[in-house]
């Protein structure tokens, strides 16, 4: 029997919570945006990212999600990622490959994200190539 995921979607941008972040991060490829509900820059980045994802079939094999750090019940996420307590700039964008952080940057921006996704893909291809 297939287990139902409790993930709310806005276009392809998944809104994550206490019961969904672990499964999301264990995906083959994922982009996670960390923010807070009272962060104007976080709201702008989420809107920009949502529009970009809705506008074209970009990175079809990558999951995109956002996690609001002021959501109740994220103790396990914060304990598993103690570096989050030291973030001084939000939003914070992370690219995961097979559950591990591959790239990260403070702030937002579709061009920055695309550049880092591309570099992450190139790096992975080089590691998997028998000719490197």
């Amino acid at each position: 029997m297939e287990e139902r995921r409790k993930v709310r979607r806005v276009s392809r941008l998944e809104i994550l919570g206490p019961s969904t972040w672990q499964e999301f991060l264990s995906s083959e490829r994922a982009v996670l945006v960390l923010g807070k509900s009272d962060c104007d820059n976080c709201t702008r980045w989420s809107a920009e990212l949502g529009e970009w994802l809705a506008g074209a079939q970009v990175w079809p094999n990558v999951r995109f999600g956002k996690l609001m750090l002021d959501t109740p019940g994220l103790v396990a996420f914060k304990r598993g990622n103690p570096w989050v307590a030291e973030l001084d700039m939000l939003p914070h964008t992370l690219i995961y490959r097979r559950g591990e952080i591959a790239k990260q940057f403070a702030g937002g921006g579709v061009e920055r994200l695309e550049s880092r996704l591309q570099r992450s893909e190139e790096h992975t291809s080089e590691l998997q190539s028998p000719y490197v």
Side-chain angles (χ1 to χ4, degrees), residues 115-132:
S115 171
R116 283 163 176 81
L117 280 167
Q118 185 63 42
R119 286 194 308 226
S120 174
E121 288 296 310
E122 290 168 358
H123 180 71
T124 302
S125 296
E126 289 170 6
L127 291 176
Q128 294 174 348
S129 173
Y131 304 106
V132 173

Side-chain angles (χ1 to χ4, degrees), residues 91-108:
H92 194 81
T93 305
L94 302 107
I95 299 171
Y96 283 83
R97 304 261 316 151
R98 294 179 202 93
E100 299 292 326
I101 297 172
K103 303 271 182 200
Q104 61 181 307
F105 60 97

Side-chain angles (χ1 to χ4, degrees), residues 5 7-15 24 63-64:
R5 291 188 309 152
V7 176
R8 202 172 80 210
R9 290 185 186 257
V10 178
S11 71
R12 286 183 47 214
L13 185 58
E14 300 176 37
I15 310 303
F24 177 85
R63 291 177 70 182
F64 294 85

